[in-house]
Amino acid sequence: MTEFDKQISVIALFSIVIALTFVEMYYSYVHNKKHYKGRDTLTNVYLMASAFVINILTKAGTFMLLQYFYVHYRVFQISNTFAYWIVLILAQDFLYWLLHYTGHYVRLFWAMHVTHHSSEHFNLTTGFRSTVFEPLYRVFFYLPLALIGFDAFDILFAYLITQIYGNMVHTQIVGKLHPIFEYIFVTPSHHRVHHASNLRYLDKNMGMVLIVWDRIFGTFQEEIPEEEIRYGLTKQPEDTGAVNIIFHEFIALYHDVKKAQKFSDKLKYIFYPPGWSHDGSTQTAKVMQQELMQQAQNTFSPHQ
């Protein structure tokens, strides 16, 4: 596949996503599903455009860094074309899971990733509500791909393909799919859980294409039909303007760091998971989920 073929493939696939978005909008309107709201959709487009600008500004640096490590430091090269692309997709998808996990469990990165979770609606345009500053640091998570013998062009192409798949699972129209597909791949059902603010659903289902990483590393949560999903953040910002959506968590982080007396606590606010506090006034999602499980066990214990 030539570079021109890759570009045409990405344009064609992205065009399909755009077309499906308009179909979903029409379906939502005709059936009064209220999956879309005008201002929210415009905010999604604005955030996508902001991320696109940063992508363009950093693209040359990203490519040169990946290619430099590929040319000078790669450990080996996969000669079989089929194996090359299979390993690249699998490795890239796992590294995305790691990037995404970091975005949820390190508060500095959460301050950037939070934009993607800030909508109280869930539709195909929610996938466009990008982590605006992610292009500034994403390349460092993908450097291992260059080290194990993948060309920069191929890395970026694989990333775009998996991103397009990731966009397509932002929908409420598609229910659960065949159990085998649900077990292996990320589906709309899995990703609805990921965007939920329900306590049991927080920080779950980080995968882009494969859900098996979440099953392996303990971040998987199935969608429960009996529990209605609430989309958005556990504490929505009062100002839902695009600029505040981008920066509100940075402001909150700054105030938390400022109020901590010990330098070690200041660092913990930056690098520990969201919700951690030096005085115990707030808790991380993982701690609250453990308490929820304990309450459930106590409720259904035969000794109670």
Side-chain angles (χ1 to χ4, degrees):
M1 181 181 288
T2 66
E3 298 308 319
F4 179 75
D5 291 333
K6 292 174 185 175
Q7 292 176 11
I8 293 298
S9 298
V10 170
I11 292 172
L13 289 170
F14 189 71
S15 298
I16 291 172
V17 175
I18 297 297
L20 288 173
T21 299
F22 283 110
V23 170
E24 185 185 56
M25 283 182 178
Y26 177 76
Y27 176 87
S28 177
Y29 175 76
V30 169
H31 295 276
N32 197 31
K33 295 292 185 180
K34 298 180 180 179
H35 293 166
Y36 283 83
K37 186 177 180 181
R39 184 181 178 184
D40 181 80
T41 301
L42 290 175
T43 300
N44 293 341
V45 174
Y46 177 91
L47 292 170
M48 179 186 70
S50 301
F52 179 77
V53 170
I54 295 179
N55 262 305
I56 293 297
L57 294 175
T58 58
K59 187 175 182 179
T62 296
F63 173 80
M64 288 189 293
L65 187 60
L66 290 171
Q67 196 66 5
Y68 179 82
F69 274 80
Y70 168 74
V71 172
H72 296 283
Y73 297 108
R74 70 178 183 270
V75 178
F76 56 86
Q77 185 78 49
I78 300 175
S79 57
N80 182 279
T81 302
F82 181 76
Y84 178 93
W85 283 104
I86 291 296
V87 175
L88 174 56
I89 293 294
L90 290 174
Q92 188 273 327
D93 197 56
F94 168 71
L95 291 173
Y96 174 81
W97 180 91
L98 184 62
L99 166 66
H100 201 174
Y101 183 92
T102 303
H104 279 257
Y105 283 93
V106 177
R107 192 174 175 191
L108 175 63
F109 290 96
W110 172 247
M112 292 178 270
H113 184 58
V114 70
T115 57
H116 184 61
H117 286 266
S118 57
S119 175
E120 294 181 281
H121 300 269
F122 189 74
N123 53 61
L124 285 171
T125 69
T126 309
F128 302 147
R129 184 177 282 236
S130 304
T131 302
V132 174
F133 297 118
E134 187 177 288
L136 299 175
Y137 59 87
R138 182 173 57 217
V139 62
F140 298 105
F141 284 84
Y142 291 148
L143 279 180
L145 297 175
L147 291 173
I148 59 177
F150 296 106
D151 176 83
F153 275 117
D154 295 337
I155 294 171
L156 296 176
F157 176 68
Y159 172 76
L160 287 172
I161 294 299
T162 55
Q163 276 285 309
I164 290 171
Y165 179 88
N167 267 75
M168 294 178 69
V169 298
H170 290 81
T171 182
Q172 297 183 61
I173 292 177
V174 179
K176 288 193 176 184
L177 303 175
H178 191 280
I180 294 177
F181 195 90
E182 290 274 341
Y183 191 84
I184 299 172
F185 295 99
V186 173
T187 66
S189 175
H190 297 145
H191 212 61
R192 286 192 288 269
V193 167
H194 181 69
H195 275 261
S197 61
N198 310 48
L199 178 55
R200 76 170 71 247
Y201 289 161
L202 295 178
D203 303 329
K204 302 297 184 181
N205 301 354
M206 309 284 186
M208 176 73 81
V209 175
L210 299 176
I211 199 65
V212 292
W213 311 122
D214 292 287
R215 295 184 185 278
I216 291 170
F217 296 108
T219 53
F220 175 73
Q221 172 62 53
E222 187 148 10
E223 183 180 22
I224 301 172
E226 297 78 22
E227 182 163 354
E228 182 180 356
I229 290 179
R230 301 184 304 275
Y231 295 107
L233 305 173
T234 55
K235 185 180 294 184
Q236 287 291 129
E238 294 182 9
D239 180 0
T240 57
V243 174
N244 189 58
I245 289 297
I246 295 173
F247 292 105
H248 76 277
E249 183 62 18
F250 283 106
I251 296 170
L253 175 58
Y254 168 77
H255 288 304
D256 284 340
V257 170
K258 187 177 179 180
K259 74 183 180 184
Q261 300 298 314
K262 295 167 59 177
F263 180 71
S264 60
D265 285 339
K266 293 180 184 293
L267 291 178
K268 289 176 182 177
Y269 272 116
I270 295 172
F271 295 109
Y272 274 28
W276 181 89
S277 59
H278 70 286
D279 57 3
S281 57
T282 57
Q283 294 177 313
T284 65
K286 187 172 289 187
V287 169
M288 291 189 291
Q289 286 167 345
Q290 290 172 346
E291 292 179 351
L292 181 67
M293 290 177 61
Q294 187 62 49
Q295 290 172 6
Q297 290 174 358
N298 292 339
T299 299
F300 293 103
S301 172
H303 300 292
Q304 295 296 317

